Amino acid sequence: MPTRKPLLPDVARRTAAWCGVLLLVAGVAGVAIWLCVVLKTAVTPVLLALLGTALLGPVHRWLAAHKVNRSVAAGLTCAALVAVGGGAGYIVVTVLVDTGGQIVDSLKDAAQWVIDHFQIEGVADVDDLADNAKNLVEKFGASAAGGLLTGISVIGSLVTTGVLALLLTFFFLRDSDRAVDLAHSLAPRGTGDLVEAMGRRAFEAVEGFMRGTTFIALIDALCITVGLLILRVPGAAGLGALVFVGAYIPYLGAFISGAVAVLVALADRGIVIALWSLGVVVAVQVLEGHVLQPAIQSRTVQMHPAMIMISLTAGASVAGLLGMLLAVPVCAAAFGVIGELREKYGAEDGGSAVTEGS
């Protein structure tokens, strides 16, 4: 009996199959993002708790390995987080409040210097720009607050989210040993091991990102603060605190905080000190990119800078500043899952090819 010739060539059928897979994945991802936006009040504490669990996981495991009760270990770890995080937050906020006015005045002076020296037409005074920006921020803030926080104050919402995230972090740490059983019970039959492996790889990626980013942010902030203090740039401590906070938004945060430091140096110390400040910032960024990142985050999922920028843009469009903070960890987890799938099915394909060849 003659073989029936396929209606479409092999290339077209493969292309159609891949298009179907991409459409399915895009549809599932779109529905998941839509659900996260709709349920953002519940999703935000969960995501923050997962980041906190990834950051505190090594400490909790160390305590549990030394025969400390899991509940006690989780409580001590969360208490340490509150103490260290609260203390660091208090220091950062205090420093920014104390030096914030000085930094803002220096930025206004720097903007006026740029306007005067480059003879920008249509702008009489930098105060006009400041007033316009202030009015724009007030209008945007009012509309955003009215749309997102109906009837609830911003402070109350932040406190509620923080407390809920802290409680969830406690439970995630305490019951992390049950995650394997949960993954096997929820996974379809025969896929429990794969789901467990994907979950482990995703969590390891997020854990490495949080631990490495925190350590790198601390080193960057200390180096830039010391450099600015040596150059006697005003508000050096506040600028260092800004660098530490901005480091959690890769590339964009470092660029903004570094630009602010250079502009402050330009306004108060002149062009020479501004260039020296730029050299300090660039040197720290080179140290981070060529030494700290490869050494500290070499075991985590490595993403191309273009992919990081795309994820930051997507996160900002979905959830603003919070989306930018969560975009890279979520993307790192997704790359971890993809890497696990590639290793598993790539190994199976290689094994089957060897068997057929023999």
Side-chain angles (χ1 to χ4, degrees), residues 2 4 6 50 59 140 143 164 167 188 199 218 223 232 238 251 262 270 350 356:
R4 188 175 178 181
L50 287 175
V59 179
F140 177 77
S143 62
L164 184 55
L167 292 175
L218 183 61
C223 292
R232 291 184 295 174
Y251 300 110
V262 173
E356 290 176 1

Side-chain angles (χ1 to χ4, degrees), residues 208-334:
F209 170 81
M210 288 299 297
R211 183 173 61 249
T213 301
T214 301
F215 191 57
I216 290 172
L218 183 61
I219 295 177
D220 286 355
L222 289 175
C223 292
I224 290 180
T225 301
V226 170
L228 296 179
L229 286 173
I230 293 174
L231 296 173
R232 291 184 295 174
V233 175
L239 294 171
L242 188 63
V243 169
F244 179 80
V245 175
Y248 285 93
I249 303 177
Y251 300 110
L252 186 60
F255 173 77
I256 294 175
S257 58
V260 170
V262 173
L263 288 175
V264 170
L266 174 65
D268 282 79
R269 301 299 313 280
I271 186 68
V272 176
I273 299 299
L275 291 176
W276 276 103
S277 301
L278 178 61
V280 169
V281 173
V282 171
V284 171
Q285 296 305 317
V286 170
L287 174 67
E288 174 188 336
H290 292 81
V291 178
L292 297 180
Q293 287 279 3
I296 295 174
Q297 294 187 336
S298 59
R299 297 183 180 181
T300 62
V301 176
Q302 300 295 322
M303 292 187 293
H304 194 274
M307 183 59 64
I308 293 178
M309 296 303 297
I310 292 173
S311 65
L312 289 175
T313 305
S317 64
V318 172
L321 181 60
L322 180 64
M324 295 178 70
L325 292 173
L326 296 174
V328 179
V330 171
C331 197

Side-chain angles (χ1 to χ4, degrees), residues 112-135:
Q112 191 65 51
W113 183 90
V114 172
I115 292 172
D116 294 339
H117 283 74
F118 290 94
Q119 298 179 353
I120 300 177
E121 298 179 357
V123 181
D125 194 281
V126 73
D127 291 331
D128 297 336
L129 294 176
D131 294 337
N132 293 334
K134 182 179 179 181
N135 294 333

Side-chain angles (χ1 to χ4, degrees), residues 23-353:
L23 286 174
L24 179 61
V25 171
V28 173
V31 171
I33 293 174
W34 177 78
L35 287 175
C36 289
V37 173
V38 171
L39 303 174
K40 58 183 176 295
T41 306
V43 172
T44 301
V46 174
L47 293 177
L48 293 177
L50 287 175
L51 294 183
T53 305
L55 183 62
L56 300 173
V59 179
H60 181 265
R61 289 195 295 269
W62 182 83
L63 291 174
H66 286 74
K67 310 302 181 183
V68 179
N69 181 271
R70 294 190 65 87
S71 298
V72 176
L76 291 175
T77 307
C78 290
L81 173 65
V82 172
V84 176
Y90 175 78
I91 293 173
V92 170
V93 171
T94 303
V95 169
L96 288 178
V97 169
D98 291 342
T99 60
Q102 191 177 18
I103 292 174
V104 171
D105 293 338
S106 299
L107 289 177
K108 290 174 65 175
D109 293 341
Q112 191 65 51
W113 183 90
V114 172
I115 292 172
D116 294 339
H117 283 74
F118 290 94
Q119 298 179 353
I120 300 177
E121 298 179 357
V123 181
D125 194 281
V126 73
D127 291 331
D128 297 336
L129 294 176
D131 294 337
N132 293 334
K134 182 179 179 181
N135 294 333
L136 181 62
V137 169
E138 288 176 352
K139 290 179 181 180
F140 177 77
S143 62
L148 298 177
L149 303 171
T150 307
I152 305 176
S153 68
V154 177
I155 299 299
S157 177
L158 291 176
V159 170
T160 303
T161 301
V163 171
L164 184 55
L166 182 63
L167 292 175
L168 288 174
T169 302
F170 170 80
F171 291 120
F172 289 168
L173 288 171
R174 189 192 68 178
D175 300 328
S176 57
D177 57 330
R178 304 179 187 176
V180 175
D181 297 333
L182 179 63
H184 282 270
S185 63
L186 295 179
R189 182 178 301 176
T191 61
D193 293 336
L194 177 60
V195 171
E196 177 189 347
M198 290 190 301
R200 287 185 184 277
R201 181 68 73 88
F203 189 76
E204 286 173 0
V206 176
E207 189 177 67
F209 170 81
M210 288 299 297
R211 183 173 61 249
T213 301
T214 301
F215 191 57
I216 290 172
L218 183 61
I219 295 177
D220 286 355
L222 289 175
C223 292
I224 290 180
T225 301
V226 170
L228 296 179
L229 286 173
I230 293 174
L231 296 173
R232 291 184 295 174
V233 175
L239 294 171
L242 188 63
V243 169
F244 179 80
V245 175
Y248 285 93
I249 303 177
Y251 300 110
L252 186 60
F255 173 77
I256 294 175
S257 58
V260 170
V262 173
L263 288 175
V264 170
L266 174 65
D268 282 79
R269 301 299 313 280
I271 186 68
V272 176
I273 299 299
L275 291 176
W276 276 103
S277 301
L278 178 61
V280 169
V281 173
V282 171
V284 171
Q285 296 305 317
V286 170
L287 174 67
E288 174 188 336
H290 292 81
V291 178
L292 297 180
Q293 287 279 3
I296 295 174
Q297 294 187 336
S298 59
R299 297 183 180 181
T300 62
V301 176
Q302 300 295 322
M303 292 187 293
H304 194 274
M307 183 59 64
I308 293 178
M309 296 303 297
I310 292 173
S311 65
L312 289 175
T313 305
S317 64
V318 172
L321 181 60
L322 180 64
M324 295 178 70
L325 292 173
L326 296 174
V328 179
V330 171
C331 197
F335 270 77
V337 171
I338 293 173
E340 183 65 30
L341 292 174
R342 186 188 298 115
E343 288 180 7
K344 176 177 176 57
Y345 290 106
E348 289 182 356
D349 293 341
S352 60

Side-chain angles (χ1 to χ4, degrees), residues 8 10-24:
L8 295 173
D10 185 62
V11 175
R13 286 187 285 116
R14 288 178 178 272
T15 304
W18 276 110
C19 289
V21 171
L22 291 176
L23 286 174
L24 179 61

